[in-house]
Amino acid sequence: MTARNNIRGLAMKKVTVIGAGIVGLSVAYHLQKQGADVTVIDKDPAGDKVSFGNAGSIAVMEVNPAAMPGVFMKVPGWMLDPLGPLSLRPAHSLKMLPWLYRFYKAGRKNAGLPLHQALAALNRRAFDDLQSMLADTGLSGELHRKGALIVYESDAGFEADKSVWEMRKRAGVEAHSLSSEEARQLEPDLGSRVRHGVFAPQAGVVSDPKVLTDKLREWLAGHGVRILRGEVTGIRPAAHGTQQVLLSNDLRIDADDVVIAAGVWSQALTRQLGEQCCLESERGYNTTLKDPQVSLSREVIFAERKFVITPLSCGLRIGGAAEFGGISSPPNYQRSEALVTLAKMYLPGLDSGRGIPWAGHRPSTPDSLPVIGPSLAHKHVFYAFGHGHLGLTQCATTGQLIADLVYGHTPAVDLTPYSIARFQ
């Protein structure tokens, strides 16, 4: 055994990561690189999850919280619009009140800047961290940096977003305003509805988020990380300072440290540990068209309509919409159909046949910040969830920050804004 392996052996920790989405797998990767003995537990490790069906965006320009000043007053109008970006199922409305109240507070003028700064601190590292992780795992070919085109259909919408773009630029986001003709030069299949554009060259996409997630999980399994199927029912202290993860099949997993990265299902575990977390399922919808008869070379974001179209290796993915209805309600695929209707308004040549609808649960916090950091009550439990629309963007950065915490290193980012303490 080499001296280096001796050191790794002496420092080896047994760490259990709960959740096999892209965030949980990224945490497992960074822990494994630090020398940990890692086990990942998920009720369906290879099954469908939000990490598979997202738009594939590395959205480094999204450094402003959803609850910007003035947004709360637009919510009723969005919900009344059948093609609008937001819906709330009536049966879930009372349960949403605590989340909506915090969303309202997050949108106040004095709250916006700290939230913006906290998002920017993660996103300015995101592409480099992801690129490094994918290079080390042989997956560099899955990542492409072609920039994103953001388009507007009205002068008023473009003018209203100027303050948003100024905040982005101050956070280091590059942005170049385009005329309608310049936007169509970048993407010739866009129709005449587009009046303004902004090109964000730092943004990127992955070829297919499902392929990326599958390949990363397979790489981890091939490099000593155990991937187990099981439903976690609890975490409790065990002998000699270890933690015991309890599974529904009566299996017990002992670990020195536990990381909860189970997306929207993380809240049930934090409550079981005695800590409150304001987390909701923001169900997202999309439709993937195998043969759309139009071509896009990069991600296109439709700013006023709040949806996105991304060219992936599996087809043209039209994604967006936010539906609050809890995690047990069945999906309403009319939302997926509405997105295709919107897309045809901007891409006149779009063939909407052979569309594959999809829906998934985004773990959404009211202030748009993920929960990253230690449990307040349990020394050896750490949190890595609540990334909303930015799980793929922030996954590698989150993994590095959690590994630093587990090994007692000072994280490169001040984690105070992301602490679960803000919900207590």
Side-chain angles (χ1 to χ4, degrees):
M1 180 181 290
T2 66
R4 183 173 182 269
N5 284 337
N6 257 323
I7 294 170
R8 287 167 62 91
L10 289 172
M12 182 172 286
K13 285 174 172 284
K14 293 180 66 175
V15 185
T16 295
V17 178
I18 302 171
I22 193 62
V23 172
L25 295 178
S26 300
V27 169
Y29 162 79
H30 280 285
L31 288 168
Q32 189 268 352
K33 293 298 289 183
Q34 293 270 16
D37 179 6
V38 183
T39 299
V40 176
I41 303 175
D42 193 288
K43 60 183 177 182
D44 189 3
D48 188 23
K49 45 179 63 73
V50 74
S51 297
F52 292 0
N54 62 68
S57 308
I58 311 303
V60 295
M61 66 282 190
E62 298 300 338
V63 294
N64 294 324
M68 291 287 287
V71 167
F72 190 81
M73 301 308 295
K74 296 179 182 179
V75 169
W78 286 340
M79 292 175 61
L80 291 172
D81 183 354
L83 296 180
L86 180 64
S87 65
L88 172 61
R89 297 198 179 187
H92 194 65
S93 55
L94 287 178
K95 295 179 182 178
M96 277 291 296
L97 288 177
W99 193 98
L100 288 171
Y101 175 65
R102 288 182 178 272
F103 183 82
Y104 165 75
K105 288 177 65 178
R108 293 182 302 182
K109 188 173 182 180
N110 291 339
L113 184 58
L115 298 177
H116 158 76
Q117 291 171 332
L119 282 169
L122 296 177
N123 281 11
R124 69 171 55 101
R125 296 175 49 97
F127 198 94
D128 289 343
D129 288 345
L130 184 59
Q131 191 173 43
S132 176
M133 181 176 76
L134 297 186
D136 191 48
T137 54
L139 300 175
S140 291
E142 301 297 321
L143 182 61
H144 314 280
R145 196 169 206 174
K146 298 181 179 179
L149 176 62
I150 300 89
V151 298
Y152 296 84
E153 64 182 272
S154 71
D155 296 338
F158 180 67
E159 290 296 322
D161 261 10
K162 281 189 172 178
S163 60
V164 172
W165 283 106
E166 285 303 317
M167 289 182 70
R168 287 171 172 163
K169 288 178 180 179
R170 288 197 294 272
V173 175
E174 291 183 43
H176 308 285
S177 295
L178 306 175
S179 66
S180 58
E181 292 78 12
E182 290 170 328
R184 277 187 286 274
Q185 285 174 10
L186 282 180
E187 299 297 344
D189 282 343
L190 286 172
S192 59
R193 196 178 189 96
V194 172
R195 293 183 60 87
H196 300 275
V198 177
F199 180 59
Q202 295 159 309
V205 295
V206 298
S207 299
D208 182 337
K210 173 175 168 49
V211 170
L212 175 66
T213 306
D214 285 344
K215 287 184 175 180
L216 180 57
R217 186 182 64 254
E218 291 163 7
W219 186 93
L220 290 168
H223 286 76
V225 174
R226 285 177 296 280
I227 312 289
L228 299 183
R229 179 188 295 268
E231 187 168 354
V232 176
T233 59
I235 304 166
R236 67 185 183 192
H240 309 297
T242 61
Q243 313 304 305
Q244 195 168 72
V245 179
L246 313 177
L247 305 184
S248 57
N249 59 2
D250 293 329
L251 189 64
R252 305 285 187 265
I253 306 293
D254 289 330
D256 298 307
D257 298 286
V258 178
V259 181
I260 298 176
V264 72
W265 289 273
S266 301
Q267 182 167 237
L269 292 173
T270 68
R271 286 176 175 168
Q272 192 263 350
L273 293 171
E275 294 183 283
Q276 296 300 313
C277 179
C278 199
L279 189 70
E280 277 288 339
S281 163
E282 182 191 336
R283 180 179 266 142
Y285 290 88
N286 68 48
T287 296
T288 303
L289 302 176
K290 294 286 189 180
D291 188 18
Q293 299 298 306
V294 296
S295 177
L296 296 177
S297 58
R298 59 183 54 79
E299 174 187 26
V300 180
I301 300 167
F302 300 84
E304 291 156 286
R305 297 286 186 168
K306 310 295 182 188
F307 76 103
V308 59
I309 303 179
T310 313
L312 302 176
S313 60
C314 57
L316 200 66
R317 180 159 292 170
I318 307 165
E323 179 189 71
F324 291 99
I327 57 177
S328 59
S329 60
N332 172 17
Y333 287 114
Q334 290 181 345
R335 303 289 291 169
S336 297
E337 296 170 10
L339 289 166
V340 177
T341 301
L342 283 173
K344 293 177 76 170
M345 293 165 56
Y346 294 88
L347 295 168
L350 184 70
D351 184 346
S352 58
R354 296 181 63 195
I356 302 172
W358 179 90
H361 297 284
R362 304 187 192 104
S364 181
T365 62
D367 57 10
S368 298
L369 298 183
V371 180
I372 304 173
S375 163
L376 303 180
H378 300 268
K379 182 179 179 182
H380 296 284
V381 176
F382 302 87
Y383 298 136
F385 60 84
H387 295 76
H389 295 246
L390 297 174
L392 178 59
T393 302
Q394 298 172 349
C395 64
T397 300
T398 299
Q400 180 63 69
L401 295 172
I402 291 294
D404 286 341
L405 285 176
V406 169
Y407 274 91
H409 305 151
T410 301
V413 175
D414 177 12
L415 297 182
T416 304
Y418 321 105
S419 172
I420 200 170
R422 68 192 195 268
F423 299 121
Q424 303 314 303

